[in-house]
Amino acid sequence: AWCFPLGAEASVDETWIGYFAISNPSAAFFIFGGFVYLDAAGAVLCAKALAKGASGVASFAAPESWRGPAYAMGLGAGRWHRVTLPYMRQKGAKLFTWLSPGEVIRPSTGEEPWAPSPHGAFAYLFHDDPSHPDARDCLFAF
């Protein structure tokens, strides 16, 4: 399961984010979010932070275009969180969400359902209102 960053809605100084994110993996987990692995009973087995250039098998595909406001709104406004990754903020991204593996988005406007990735994905919006389109909106499949 994806765990969103602690305090993602707060306005935090970029220098503070940079310092704590590289100081240790636990700090990176709280600042940027990470994956939590659970057993069948829901008990936490381990937590993993994402890090630039970290060794391991996790990787993301090239960005794909987001299908537009109907799909963003189909997820619900509560699913979108303020972007915390400095690189994505510098590029202009405002909101992001984690799409669960195989998750199907069903817009209420009649467009066909969409399952963006069998392994999960991060979606980014380049505006503060999910009901507005932006050609830069994208997702990165896992």
Side-chain angles (χ1 to χ4, degrees), residues 3-127:
C3 181
F4 283 96
L6 182 66
E9 300 304 316
S11 176
V12 180
D13 181 85
E14 294 288 329
T15 305
W16 182 87
I17 287 174
Y19 172 77
F20 283 105
I22 63 171
S23 63
N24 66 57
S26 296
F29 182 88
F30 288 108
I31 293 168
F32 301 126
F35 290 96
V36 177
Y37 296 85
L38 310 170
D39 66 14
V44 175
L45 296 173
C46 70
K48 299 284 185 179
L50 296 178
K52 182 178 179 181
S55 62
V57 296
S59 63
F60 294 92
E64 299 174 35
S65 294
W66 183 251
R67 290 201 178 175
Y71 292 90
M73 296 304 293
L75 290 172
R79 286 283 299 274
W80 297 97
H81 300 269
R82 292 257 166 241
V83 171
T84 55
L85 286 174
Y87 176 79
M88 291 304 293
R89 288 171 57 156
Q90 290 169 0
K91 294 293 181 184
K94 304 288 186 189
L95 301 173
F96 84 107
T97 195
W98 167 250
L99 303 170
S100 296
E103 180 174 358
V104 177
I105 305 169
R106 291 181 170 81
S108 61
T109 54
E111 283 90 347
E112 77 176 54
W114 177 38
S117 173
H119 304 291
F122 286 102
Y124 287 89
L125 300 180
F126 287 76
H127 43 86

